[in-house]
Every structure is written in C-alpha cells, then in structure tokens.
Amino acid sequence: TAAPAHAETLNVLFIGNSYTLRNDLTGMLEKIAASGKGAQIKAQTAAKNGATLKELWSDEKLRSELHVGHRDVVVLQEQSLWAQLPETVEDTAKSARLWGEEIAKAGAKPVIFETWERQPGSFWYTDKRFGFLKTPKNMRDKNAEASAALAAQLKAKVAPVGHAYADLLKQNAKWPLYEADSHHPSIPGTYLAALVLYKTLTGG
C-alpha cells in the first residue's frame, strides 16, 4: 500500500558501478519504501560498470548530477576490490574527499555502501591472480575496516551490506546471493542490499 501523503521523501543519488546498476537496486529500494508508512525514497543513479570513484569523479557530466534538483543523501559505492590493497585504499580516500566536498556543496549527506566478499568456496580464493584476497573472512574484514575509516573521514554513515551478506551466509551457505560469476549480486542479493540501505537511510 502507498504511504500517506505526509510521509517524508528522501531524495537519494547513488554514485557507483555494476553493484548499484544490477537488478534495479534503486527501483527495489523505492518499492520497499512505498510498501510502508515511513519515509519514502526517490532514488536516482549516476554509475558506470566497473568504474572506481576516482574514474567517476573525472566524468564532469556524471558529477553534475549532484546538483540536479535537491539531494538529501548521496550513496558512494566504490569498486568492489578497493579495500583489499593499500594503494587502492589510498586512492579511494583521496577520491572520496573530493566527493565529500562536492556532496556538502549540494547540501546532502554521504553514505558509504559497504560491499560484500566474493562468494565463499569460489575460484576467487584459489586463482593466483587474486591471491591478495586470501579468504572470505579476510576480504570481509578489510571491507568493513576500510568502509568504517572512509565513513569517519567523511562523517558519513555506513550501509553494512557486506555484514548482511556474511550473516545470512553463516545461517545458510546456500543462500543464492550471487550471480554465476561469484561476485555480482543475484536478484535476492540486490534485494538484501536494498533492505539494508533502506534501514540505513531511514532508520526503519
């Protein structure tokens, strides 16, 4: 059922890549909000497949989306391996600082989208090219630590989607949260992300 007309509406812009674009995350988020009586969400996306925040910052047209209408919140979703290596953590910190300054100019608040580990038991942990991942726990812990540090830098909230993936997989490792590539979200995975983001954005 539609929420009453007096419910607050949050205007949210997502800056990210394929983890944001897959399975219409913003559409799911809007529908979750519309199903309740709390804050409603109007969400838009400025994203490119495979892009980092640094690459997205260099796109002037995309960056200008921050100033189209009023934004209450801007969700920053970095490339999913960013937290695993010191050099990419440093790059993200620099790029996020630029985004944070621009978000403040737009009168909005930032939220960090904490992504998830590669699928446990998948080739990502046996392929030598990705030896730096080590284990699902190692990847998960680095994501959480780096996301928290980034949020502290920007005085932002963290949407702990990675934690939600891990908690659900602990209950049942067969939950179908991943696509066949063992890292992109399946439809249930995107739905889980939307639920976490709704709670983070609205406190509901």
Side-chain angles (χ1 to χ4, degrees):
T1 58
H6 65 269
E8 178 188 7
T9 297
L10 293 174
N11 290 290
V12 183
L13 178 66
F14 280 75
I15 304 291
N17 51 55
S18 57
Y19 278 25
T20 289
L21 292 169
R22 277 292 204 283
N23 306 316
D24 191 20
L25 171 61
T26 53
M28 283 192 190
L29 180 59
E30 289 180 337
K31 289 176 182 176
I32 289 168
S35 70
K37 295 182 179 180
Q40 300 300 286
I41 292 177
K42 182 178 180 182
Q44 294 180 307
T45 302
K48 289 182 179 180
N49 287 327
T52 64
L53 289 178
K54 181 178 180 179
E55 291 166 340
L56 293 168
W57 176 259
S58 68
D59 187 326
E60 185 176 347
K61 183 178 179 182
L62 184 148
R63 197 167 69 241
S64 70
E65 289 293 323
L66 277 173
H67 305 285
V68 177
H70 172 69
R71 309 294 187 186
D72 296 298
V73 180
V74 178
V75 178
L76 296 175
Q77 182 256 306
E78 178 60 293
Q79 198 277 340
S80 58
L81 295 178
W82 77 276
Q84 306 307 307
L85 295 169
E87 56 267 32
T88 49
V89 170
E90 185 177 347
D91 276 349
T92 293
K94 292 177 181 177
S95 301
R97 189 176 300 112
L98 295 171
W99 278 111
E101 291 170 356
E102 200 69 16
I103 289 167
K105 289 178 185 176
K109 295 181 179 179
V111 166
I112 304 302
F113 184 152
E114 177 202 88
T115 56
W116 46 86
E117 67 211 62
R118 296 295 199 257
Q119 187 171 19
S122 68
F123 73 92
W124 290 100
Y125 303 102
T126 56
D127 190 320
K128 292 182 179 179
R129 292 174 298 170
F130 305 103
F132 57 88
L133 295 180
K134 297 181 181 178
T135 66
K137 183 180 185 304
N138 180 71
M139 185 174 183
R140 178 168 68 249
D141 289 348
K142 284 188 174 181
N143 278 347
E145 180 182 351
S147 295
L150 203 61
Q153 173 188 322
L154 299 183
K155 298 181 180 179
K157 290 183 178 180
V158 175
V161 180
H163 277 73
Y165 263 66
D167 289 345
L168 203 55
L169 290 170
K170 283 179 184 177
Q171 296 175 35
N172 185 346
K174 294 184 179 180
W175 269 101
L177 300 178
Y178 298 87
E179 289 188 353
D181 63 9
S182 295
H183 81 97
H184 280 101
S186 63
I187 291 175
T190 297
Y191 183 67
L192 177 60
L195 289 172
V196 174
L197 283 157
Y198 177 76
K199 184 174 182 179
T200 303
L201 293 169
T202 68

